[in-house]
Amino acid sequence: MTRHIRWQILLIVAGFALVAVLLAYLGANYTTVLRPGPGGTYVEGLVGSPRYFNPLLSGYNEVDRDISSLMFSGLTRFDERGEVEPDLASRWELSVGASNVVTYTFTLRSNAYWHDGTPVTADDVIFTIRLLQDPDFPGPPALGSTLWRTVTVGRVDRRTVSFTLIEPFAPFLDYTTVGILPAHVLEGITAADLFGSSFNHDPIGSGPFELEQIDVAEDGTVQSVVLHKFRRYHGSRPMLDRIQFRFYPNDQKALKAYQAQEIDGIGHVPIGSLDQAKGFPTLNLLSAQTAEYTSVLLNLRRSELGFAQDRAVRQALLYAVDRQRIIDEVLDGQAVLSHSPVLPNTWAYDSEAPRYEYDPEKAEDLLDDAGWERREIVDDWRRKGGKRLEFSLLTSSEPERQAVAEMLVEQWAAIGVTVTIRTAAAPEVREALEARDFEAILVSIAVPGDPDPYPFWHETQVESGQNYTGLAHRRISEVIEQARVVVGPGTDTRRDLYHEFQGLFATEVPALLLHIPVYTYAVDERIHNVQIGSLLHPSDRFRTIADWWMVPRRVFVSDAEAALP
């Protein structure tokens, strides 16, 4: 018995010694580091309130778009350069047939599932497109319902769907990014029924997160929405377990919620709240350019604005604007200079296109050469044939937009141009823009994913399209026409054509491009690896959501591995 006890003691001592040796070895050769781990709930504050968790309706409300982007997937999606990449579809093929008929054939992923476990099939795609094709479709025009009505959609087999276009249309792939709806859940629903469907509040999607809970106050307002990770998601699965959205009536309420540690992030920090947000040492601010440009549009079709038809005058007006000063002093640095109607960092952007640097002396020379004389002894305003160089500038009544307009007026006055500011509510400004009821107007123009400028600058769009300036330039129209019918492996051809377009645009100056707004997103330092690039929509800030993490795990690594960045 005593001998048996001695052996047990010896074994225990030997075990401790072995452990000590092992720990000493690990201590000498390995170290522990923190690595991203799964788990955690990220809580974000949004200003506004959700209405429809439906990708066909979410375009009317940024809050809806934010949440729907996490719950639904399209056949394709945009990458950070605005190019289309696979999503629910694993690949697609393009064929051109007789009479230039074009067919796109998409193959769906075999591992794509709806949140209820049902596989995503071609029937779901066809169901969604037929809703878009319905004349009663109530969703935003940007989804391309007019285009879709010209497209023939066909079921090749359970996982293959085809789209046939009667003629080439290069931007077509953009429209395949629309979120797909589940046919088996919405069976029998028509386009006219969409707004009233219970699906909008109890959705089944195929995205990386699925709906877990909606909290509603006694007055019926939605207080929060909780999404949890979908474990059968076909793409990179998030490390976060949940995302909770809480809703606030204004930016100040959202900032106070962060201060009270109720939320971990704020969906958007406007310029007026930046200083306050910067005062929180634990709040990281991330910025990215948005897919729009702010500009002054001159109405080239107004007879009383005859001077605007003179290219030299338009060039002078742009040379006279110190755009960087506007960005620095009015916009608190939250914008970047705009030199082209094609957005920087996209595949079609021409960084070598001519630019207009601030040069008031050149502006004055151009006006002098164009016959607009400045007689400082009289009243300092420029005249030609007895007519004064003057116009009215319409802008929204928002303080930030008014401040930009006031600085423009000040800078144009310095070269002898008289400008009067008119203000109106934002919806009224939009109505005036659509009706072409303005001399000059300060607006922001949203740019689609594909750089196709046809809706904005082609001569056929002057009357009822979005060519609000009334520009009618034959070569610009020809270039645009040629670029939008290039299909297949013709990106280089399209790029060359768009470079020519940007050169022509810079010469003609049909719009006085000012700046590209910057979107600011705020996230607590506890949320790691948050990265945002250029944003087509604010919801694109979730493009890298799979990489975000907040729960660390401790692992042993060699000293050499620990030294790696």
Side-chain angles (χ1 to χ4, degrees):
M1 182 69 178
T2 302
R3 184 180 299 173
H4 182 69
I5 292 173
R6 287 175 180 169
W7 274 109
Q8 287 182 329
I9 293 173
L10 286 173
L11 287 172
I12 292 171
V13 171
F16 277 120
L18 183 61
V19 170
V21 171
L22 179 60
L23 290 174
Y25 174 78
L26 291 174
N29 297 279
Y30 289 81
T31 187
T32 60
V33 297
L34 295 179
R35 290 283 191 256
T41 298
Y42 167 62
V43 184
E44 180 168 299
L46 296 177
V47 174
S49 181
R51 298 181 63 193
Y52 306 107
F53 300 141
N54 185 326
L56 300 193
L57 304 177
S58 64
Y60 291 119
N61 180 5
E62 287 298 340
V63 170
D64 290 342
R65 195 195 297 269
D66 286 347
I67 300 172
S68 294
S69 71
L70 293 167
M71 291 196 290
F72 292 91
S73 306
L75 284 172
T76 61
R77 62 188 169 206
F78 292 111
D79 67 13
E80 64 280 357
R81 286 177 49 81
E83 297 188 63
V84 175
E85 63 181 9
D87 194 355
L88 284 172
S90 60
R91 66 183 185 277
W92 62 84
E93 297 174 354
L94 170 67
S95 61
V96 181
S99 302
N100 235 16
V101 171
V102 177
T103 298
Y104 292 84
T105 303
F106 286 80
T107 301
L108 298 176
R109 298 182 189 275
S110 59
N111 64 336
Y113 292 91
W114 295 106
H115 294 159
D116 62 3
T118 305
V120 177
T121 70
D123 294 330
D124 301 308
V125 179
I126 294 170
F127 173 80
T128 303
I129 301 307
R130 286 185 176 158
L131 286 175
L132 289 165
Q133 293 174 329
D134 192 318
D136 294 325
F137 176 67
L143 293 182
S145 54
T146 302
L147 167 68
W148 282 115
R149 290 178 196 130
T150 69
V151 176
T152 301
V153 55
R155 185 184 193 276
V156 179
D157 57 42
R158 191 167 181 269
R159 288 180 44 227
T160 312
V161 63
S162 66
F163 302 107
T164 301
L165 286 66
I166 57 176
E167 61 183 359
F169 182 58
F172 173 72
L173 285 175
D174 269 31
Y175 296 89
T176 63
T177 61
V178 64
I180 301 300
L181 297 177
H184 69 285
V185 176
L186 288 165
E187 185 177 3
I189 291 288
T190 66
D193 300 328
L194 277 178
F195 272 128
S197 172
S198 60
F199 178 87
N200 298 324
H201 309 105
D202 188 19
I204 299 293
S206 58
F209 288 87
E210 57 183 309
L211 182 64
E212 178 178 306
Q213 180 179 332
I214 301 177
D215 295 323
V216 182
E218 292 183 0
D219 62 0
T221 59
V222 179
Q223 293 184 312
S224 75
V225 170
V226 179
L227 311 180
H228 70 86
K229 175 168 56 181
F230 178 42
R231 300 191 181 279
R232 299 188 74 178
Y233 178 56
H234 59 272
S236 299
R237 296 184 184 106
M239 282 185 280
L240 296 172
D241 276 344
R242 287 175 175 79
I243 296 180
Q244 180 180 11
F245 292 100
R246 293 183 177 176
F247 308 105
Y248 300 92
N250 54 56
D251 303 298
Q252 287 302 307
K253 293 283 187 182
L255 284 165
K256 288 180 179 178
Y258 177 77
Q259 187 175 25
Q261 300 183 349
E262 296 174 2
I263 57 178
D264 304 309
I266 302 172
H268 176 229
V269 180
I271 291 174
S273 299
L274 272 177
D275 287 341
Q276 187 176 351
K278 291 175 182 176
F280 297 114
T282 58
L283 190 61
N284 292 327
L285 301 180
L286 300 95
S287 298
Q289 71 177 35
T290 59
E292 61 184 79
Y293 54 85
T294 299
S295 62
V296 173
L297 306 183
L298 294 167
N299 195 333
L300 306 183
R301 294 168 64 83
R302 292 284 283 265
S303 58
E304 65 271 28
L305 221 63
F307 70 85
Q309 296 287 348
D310 189 336
R311 180 174 65 193
V313 174
R314 300 195 300 269
Q315 292 175 341
L317 290 173
L318 188 52
Y319 273 123
V321 178
D322 188 347
R323 295 176 292 168
Q324 191 60 54
R325 181 184 166 204
I326 291 174
I327 291 171
D328 294 339
E329 297 183 14
V330 178
L331 305 177
D332 197 19
Q334 298 304 295
V336 295
L337 285 177
S338 178
H339 300 290
S340 165
V342 176
L343 294 176
N345 303 322
T346 60
W347 61 269
Y349 181 69
D350 182 9
S351 60
E352 302 299 321
R355 299 187 174 192
Y356 287 75
E357 307 297 344
Y358 177 52
D359 192 340
E361 291 184 3
K362 188 165 188 175
E364 299 229 40
D365 291 342
L366 283 167
L367 292 178
D368 290 340
D369 293 343
W372 291 95
E373 298 179 346
R374 185 176 189 181
R375 299 179 180 177
E376 299 181 11
I377 297 177
V378 182
D379 57 11
D380 203 30
W381 302 122
R382 289 186 179 272
R383 285 182 171 82
K384 182 178 182 180
K387 184 176 177 59
R388 198 157 80 171
L389 183 53
E390 61 181 344
F391 58 90
S392 64
L393 176 63
L394 176 62
T395 184
S396 69
S397 52
E398 299 161 332
E400 174 189 311
R401 193 57 62 90
Q402 282 194 67
V404 172
E406 289 168 1
M407 189 168 285
L408 287 171
V409 170
E410 171 193 325
Q411 294 176 355
W412 284 327
I415 62 168
V417 179
T418 309
V419 181
T420 304
I421 296 176
R422 292 174 48 217
T423 60
E428 294 173 349
V429 172
R430 190 72 197 179
E431 289 174 8
L433 179 69
E434 297 287 351
R436 279 68 169 169
D437 184 20
F438 62 89
E439 292 184 350
I441 190 168
L442 176 61
V443 292
S444 291
I445 302 294
V447 182
D450 188 278
D452 176 29
Y454 186 97
F456 305 103
W457 303 111
H458 194 274
E459 58 194 2
T460 62
Q461 303 302 299
V462 169
E463 297 295 337
S464 58
Q466 294 172 278
N467 186 345
Y468 302 116
T469 67
L471 175 72
H473 189 286
R474 184 81 284 267
R475 182 53 189 164
I476 285 179
S477 293
E478 288 174 350
V479 170
I480 292 171
E481 291 165 9
Q482 294 168 23
R484 70 178 352 213
V485 297
V486 175
V487 296
T491 302
D492 288 344
T493 302
R494 288 190 79 201
R495 182 183 291 110
D496 292 343
L497 288 166
Y498 285 143
H499 282 194
E500 181 181 351
F501 162 70
Q502 290 167 81
L504 292 168
F505 189 98
T507 300
E508 293 298 322
V509 197
L512 311 180
L513 302 179
L514 301 179
H515 56 263
I516 300 169
V518 165
Y519 179 92
T520 301
Y521 182 41
V523 185
D524 189 85
E525 63 184 6
R526 296 185 303 108
I527 316 302
H528 301 276
N529 210 27
V530 179
Q531 299 179 23
I532 59 174
S534 299
L535 306 177
L536 184 60
H537 300 290
S539 59
D540 291 338
R541 66 186 184 274
F542 297 123
R543 186 184 288 126
T544 61
I545 189 68
D547 300 324
W548 300 11
W549 62 277
M550 58 189 302
V551 177
R553 58 189 176 94
R554 189 172 294 276
V555 297
F556 277 104
V557 297
S558 67
D559 291 339
E561 289 177 301
L564 294 175

